Amino acid sequence: MSVSPSPSSLSQSAIVTRLRAAGCVFAEDEAQLLISTARTPDDLSAMVDRRIAGLPLEHVVGWAEFCGLRVAVDPGVFVPRRRTEFLVGQATALAGPGAVVVDLCCGSGALGAALVAGLDGGELHASDIDPAAVRCARRNVVAAGGRVYEGDLYAPLPAGLRGRVDVLLANVPYVPTEEIELLPAEARVHEALVALDGGADGLDVLRRVTAEASRWLAPGGCLLFETSERQAPRAVETVARGGLVPRVATSDELYATVVIGTRPLPTGPAATSSDVAQLFRD
């Protein structure tokens, strides 16, 4: 139930003023969203206070819009980024009806849920090492007909998925450890460190994912992950070392870089070092 401004509640103009003073760039839009989400005047006041204190808007309202879906996002859980919609779009173009999908480092489960929704069905499995993320993901993934497992990368997945996965989404953390302190406070303070820290060069988790990916992918299946433009050449080399054929997709509009690694068909060629170099000459 939305809350109409009244003498006993904050007016929209007052909320906008407070949000703008706190540094919220889209204060008008945020004020409207808070007002429409709050159930009571007291609830609205508390939500405004939490936002002014620096909590991500998605944690305050309890959800994020992602690929046209309203995805539940609990406090402390990684907020799905709008640029990551490009990754889901790439995956949707590659997956067929009824695809077997695994979402590693799933966070809220937004990627897997959005992909299955875009495919109008599929077999969805998701995992995360963070218990808070797993609890949140169950709300989104189970609603999409999938299952969520708690554990490190592939470890909690059913053994029966080996060699059957058509699309492996791995939104791994890729921020170098020494750059964590440069992140906006909304992410640095209010999202789990395990969802952000990618190790010394930002590729530690990716290396572990690619080392086992070919064992889980079906022939012709694809691993997709997001990385930075700067890290893409090393990420591509990592994919190739894992026995997958890499390519890079980019979106200037969303400032997104996605690497796609395909498990070759039995008669398909493996990627060579010259193939990898050519990706960055084109």
Side-chain angles (χ1 to χ4, degrees):
M1 180 178 69
S2 63
V3 176
S4 301
S6 70
S8 61
S9 65
L10 291 169
S11 68
Q12 181 167 334
S13 61
I15 294 172
V16 169
T17 298
R18 293 186 64 193
L19 292 174
R20 188 176 291 125
C24 298
V25 177
F26 303 104
E28 292 83 359
D29 293 339
E30 291 194 15
Q32 291 178 4
L33 181 57
L34 293 171
I35 290 170
S36 66
T37 303
R39 293 168 296 180
T40 67
D42 287 344
D43 190 26
L44 174 59
S45 180
M47 292 171 72
V48 171
D49 287 343
R50 289 197 296 272
R51 181 59 179 138
I52 289 173
L55 269 71
L57 180 64
E58 295 82 1
H59 289 169
V60 173
V61 299
W63 57 273
E65 183 180 345
F66 185 76
C67 291
L69 301 179
R70 180 175 287 199
V71 177
V73 182
D74 293 338
V77 175
F78 184 83
V79 176
R81 282 22 174 190
R82 183 56 58 88
R83 66 173 176 270
T84 309
E85 293 182 350
F86 179 68
L87 187 156
V88 175
Q90 294 294 306
T92 302
L94 292 169
V100 177
V101 176
V102 169
D103 185 358
L104 291 184
C105 305
C106 69
S108 66
L111 275 67
L115 175 56
V116 169
L119 297 176
D120 195 23
E123 181 183 339
L124 174 60
H125 302 265
S127 73
D128 202 289
I129 197 170
D130 179 11
V134 169
R135 288 192 297 271
C136 181
R138 286 196 173 117
R139 299 167 59 193
N140 298 307
V141 172
V142 172
R147 298 181 63 185
V148 184
Y149 312 89
E150 182 179 334
D152 187 23
L153 299 180
Y154 304 97
L157 296 178
L161 285 174
R162 287 180 179 267
R164 293 185 53 234
V165 179
D166 298 303
V167 177
L168 177 57
L169 305 171
N171 198 24
V172 298
Y174 59 89
V175 180
T177 302
E178 65 179 12
E179 296 180 18
I180 295 291
E181 62 183 18
L182 303 178
L183 292 175
E186 286 188 11
R188 187 180 70 252
V189 177
H190 299 289
E191 293 179 330
L193 183 62
V194 70
L196 303 171
D197 192 343
D201 64 354
L203 301 177
D204 281 0
V205 182
L206 176 63
R207 292 188 186 95
R208 297 178 56 219
V209 169
T210 57
E212 293 191 49
S214 62
R215 302 174 191 170
W216 293 85
L217 288 171
C222 297
L223 162 69
L224 299 95
F225 61 89
E226 190 175 85
T227 190
S228 69
E229 182 179 7
R230 171 171 54 90
Q231 293 166 314
R234 284 179 296 167
V236 163
E237 292 171 0
T238 300
V239 169
R241 282 197 299 270
L244 306 178
V245 179
R247 66 180 177 90
V248 179
T250 60
S251 169
D252 293 334
E253 178 183 359
L254 294 175
Y255 196 60
T257 300
V258 170
V259 177
I260 303 167
T262 303
R263 180 183 172 187
L265 296 170
T267 57
T272 65
S273 57
S274 60
D275 293 331
V276 172
Q278 186 64 40
L279 286 168
F280 297 95
R281 290 198 293 267
D282 293 341

